[in-house]
Amino acid sequence: MATHRTKMLIIGSGPAGYSAAIYGARAMLHPIVVQGIQPGGQLTITTEVENYPGFRDVVQGPWLMEEMQAQAEHVGTRMMWDTIVEVDLENGAPFRAVGDGGDEYLADCVVIATGAQAKWLGVPGEQELGGKGVSACATCDGFFFRGKKVAVIGGGNTAVEEALYLTNHSDDVTLIHRRDELRSEKILEQRLMASDKITPMWNKTVTSFAAAENGTLGHLVLEDTQTGETSTLEVDGAFVAIGHAPATELFVGKLEMDGGYLVTEPGTPKTAIPGVFAAGDVMDHTYRQAVTAAGVGCMAALDAEKFLAGADFTSVMEGFEAPVTEAGVSEAAE
Ligand code: NDP
């Protein structure tokens, strides 16, 4: 088990984490990114991205994240394929975190960019049929439903994108929404309405997922939100796309939260603990876009640089050489 030292520890590897790393590395903070269980974050399970500035053509989410990672490494970031399971923030800087294999991280400041995870409905059959027809990721599992009947539950961007994506595999996609109005972007809504493979089903909630005789998903039990009437819908696959919950379990009791999101000083990524910053979906319940997450990641690195310039504690790097990354820290951070 090793001890890793850095001026800037970044927990999480979505756009917020990588952007903080790019700015942090260029400020010679020798950042470490601990990537977590899903390196690249939520964009690695989406397909087409067409609203991230800089690309005139549609780009693929996983490709975009590989590029961000490569850019962060190129300027001198160290990537750790590890997941933080314990943090010690309450005593102030310097900070300590522990990875799931027991590695220890010591840092002068911390950027929390742990993002968010898909939410589940929490109704009977959902968990039991997970991987047997029920999924929260059409781009991961849509392929298994080639030529079959599928449903997507939700009315936001994710649900509409998933429904559109599923038309690559299925001619029979039902979008089930609890209201009669979508909250997705208008351009996505237009595409959904124009597709003859997607049938919207309004004012319905799924109250349970039921298995077929072979043990995989057979049908959904629905309830009409206006009349209370129940009905069933036979499907082979169902994709739950009802939003995301911030990944903040690690910080319960350590940092202030509002509805599960980390609280920061208005308009900044600063938490109540000097030297601890939060960026991206873990703290932003309003915008939640890749580009806004990247923007706040940048702000976190700039604020971290200021915090460290005024620090009155001994750096964890004191007496230790700054490690040379593959790109070469001194050369890359020029
Ligand atoms: P949202 O929170 O935007 O939408 C969640 C949807 O699920 C809503 O329609 C909501 O209904 C519905 N819902 C929530 N809980 C339940 C429930 N218990 N039962 C039934 N339905 C439920 O989440 P998304 O994941 O779609 O998007 C999250 C953020 O990420 C947004 O800011 C979005 O814009 C962004 N995003 C952007 C993309 C892009 O730019 N290409 C792609 C994907 C996401 P109701 O409308 O009634 O509240």
Side-chain angles (χ1 to χ4, degrees):
M1 275 166 279
T3 295
H4 311 280
R5 293 165 183 271
T6 175
K7 290 189 178 169
M8 186 189 205
L9 177 67
I10 299 165
I11 308 175
S13 58
Y18 286 152
S19 170
I22 292 163
Y23 277 79
R26 289 177 52 82
M28 300 295 285
L29 303 183
H30 312 298
I32 288 178
V33 170
V34 180
Q35 293 183 292
I37 40 176
Q38 191 181 62
Q42 287 178 62
L43 275 184
T44 58
I45 55 165
T46 57
T47 42
E48 302 192 332
V49 178
E50 64 178 13
N51 54 9
Y52 197 87
F55 309 98
R56 75 171 69 188
D57 296 320
V58 167
V59 296
Q60 301 298 307
W63 175 85
L64 182 61
M65 297 320 297
E66 273 169 35
E67 290 296 306
M68 283 192 206
Q69 174 174 338
Q71 186 180 358
E73 285 175 317
H74 175 75
V75 290
T77 304
R78 277 183 293 162
M79 294 293 159
M80 298 288 173
W81 196 18
D82 196 358
T83 301
I84 298 297
V85 291
E86 192 187 321
V87 285
D88 179 2
L89 306 175
E90 306 88 301
N91 301 320
F95 303 98
R96 182 176 167 273
V98 181
D100 66 356
D103 276 17
E104 183 184 45
Y105 298 86
L106 300 176
D108 294 342
C109 71
V110 177
V111 176
I112 300 167
T114 46
Q117 290 149 352
K119 276 196 216 160
W120 294 96
L121 287 166
V123 299
E126 183 179 49
Q127 245 190 338
E128 297 80 343
L129 292 165
K132 295 178 191 158
V134 179
S135 164
C137 177
T139 48
C140 318
D141 301 327
F143 179 79
F144 301 116
F145 301 95
R146 204 160 204 119
K148 305 223 166 128
K149 273 179 76 133
V150 293
V152 177
I153 300 131
N157 272 353
T158 306
V160 176
E161 284 197 341
E162 301 237 307
L164 289 166
Y165 173 75
L166 285 165
T167 60
N168 294 320
H169 300 297
S170 164
D171 291 342
D172 191 344
V173 181
T174 305
L175 181 98
I176 302 168
H177 183 33
R178 64 182 176 183
R179 295 185 296 130
D180 61 359
E181 198 186 346
L182 297 170
R183 65 166 68 238
S184 62
E185 288 171 2
K186 290 291 166 247
I187 189 169
L188 292 174
E189 183 172 344
Q190 277 171 10
R191 283 182 204 155
L192 179 106
M193 294 306 185
S195 170
D196 58 4
K197 297 180 180 175
I198 305 175
T199 311
M201 192 179 252
W202 306 118
N203 300 320
K204 296 271 194 285
T205 54
V206 175
T207 53
S208 66
F209 296 82
E213 266 177 23
N214 65 3
T216 63
L217 179 65
H219 68 265
L220 310 178
V221 180
L222 306 170
E223 187 177 298
D224 192 295
T225 54
Q226 309 286 300
T227 62
E229 204 177 299
T230 58
S231 56
T232 58
L233 179 73
E234 275 185 32
V235 285
D236 304 293
F239 295 87
V240 179
I242 59 163
H244 293 86
T248 50
E249 312 80 57
L250 258 184
F251 312 106
V252 173
K254 296 171 195 265
L255 288 169
E256 196 191 334
M257 295 187 198
D258 179 9
Y261 290 85
L262 294 183
V263 172
T264 59
E265 274 180 31
T268 81
K270 294 177 190 169
T271 70
I273 301 178
V276 177
F277 305 89
D281 282 10
V282 75
M283 50 69 80
D284 172 14
H285 47 83
T286 311
Y287 300 104
R288 297 178 293 178
Q289 305 298 303
V291 66
T292 51
V296 183
C298 156
M299 289 158 67
L302 297 176
D303 282 351
E305 198 182 345
K306 271 199 206 122
F307 165 78
L308 293 176
D312 60 357
F313 58 90
T314 306
S315 169
V316 297
M317 299 295 284
E318 193 80 26
F320 290 85
E321 286 277 311
V324 176
T325 64
E326 242 174 68
V329 165
S330 51
E331 173 200 311
E334 272 170 6

